[in-house]
Amino acid sequence: MSCHLCWVATILVLWGSVCRAQVDSTISLSKVSCHGQPLVLSCPLGYSISVTRGLHGRLDSTTCVSGSQLNTTAICIVNTDVASLVKEQCNGPNSCVFQTTAIDANNCKGISLYTSIEFKCLLPNIQKKACEDEYLTMECMEGSVIKVVETHIG
């Protein structure tokens, strides 16, 4: 099997051990959606969404201005904890659609708003076990590196 930019780790187990490996391949992304439009978050297959920051409001005069009849120059941030709302619905799966209309924007009336979300795409931890005098092999996706984060021998 060919593996271009990926490492294949093979460990000779001298005593019975448990090896937990973490593939060091986190992807950081951000998405913006105009108020009233769905916010679509997605990660590659095998990864899961982890929301890190969120904002609903207006911090600039260039985002979501096309066709807006509302004020696009005023600065306003909605009082709602947007990151928590999106986390509740979107953390875990590899794709999610969040309806921005679910955000209470009463303190920013008359202003053209948008939602901005920063999130990471995470790979799950992999745990492998082997007995004494056995080989333990771990493989990762192309472009990733295996990082052994914990071993137990006994």
Side-chain angles (χ1 to χ4, degrees):
M1 181 170 122
S2 167
C3 191
H4 300 288
L5 295 174
C6 129
W7 293 85
V8 176
T10 301
I11 302 167
L12 172 61
V13 179
L14 299 175
W15 303 280
S17 72
V18 176
C19 185
R20 185 169 63 90
Q22 175 181 340
V23 178
D24 192 14
S25 186
T26 300
I27 303 168
S28 296
L29 299 169
S30 63
K31 287 286 183 158
V32 174
S33 180
C34 302
H35 183 74
Q37 299 297 313
L39 176 71
V40 179
L41 306 181
S42 63
C43 292
L45 190 63
Y47 287 75
S48 63
I49 295 169
S50 178
V51 174
T52 55
R53 295 179 63 188
L55 162 88
H56 188 74
R58 173 160 291 286
L59 292 177
D60 63 49
S61 60
T62 59
T63 306
C64 294
V65 295
S66 180
S68 178
Q69 302 299 314
L70 300 173
N71 186 337
T72 58
T73 58
I75 294 177
C76 186
I77 299 173
V78 172
N79 294 330
T80 306
D81 183 0
V82 175
S84 290
L85 289 175
V86 180
K87 279 180 189 180
E88 185 178 312
Q89 183 177 329
C90 295
N91 272 10
N94 80 320
S95 65
C96 176
V97 178
F98 180 82
Q99 299 299 330
T100 59
T101 53
I103 302 169
D104 179 9
N106 285 334
N107 66 310
C108 291
K109 288 186 186 238
I111 299 172
S112 177
L113 305 176
Y114 57 86
T115 302
S116 177
I117 296 293
E118 293 177 16
F119 65 103
K120 293 182 178 183
C121 296
L122 306 174
L123 281 173
N125 283 343
I126 301 164
Q127 185 169 317
K128 295 274 190 164
K129 295 180 184 182
C131 294
E132 188 174 344
D133 295 324
E134 290 182 352
Y135 284 93
L136 181 65
T137 301
M138 292 178 269
E139 296 182 44
C140 63
M141 297 183 337
E142 187 173 322
S144 299
V145 176
I146 293 174
K147 173 183 169 187
V148 177
V149 293
E150 185 176 29
T151 61
H152 297 282
I153 300 173

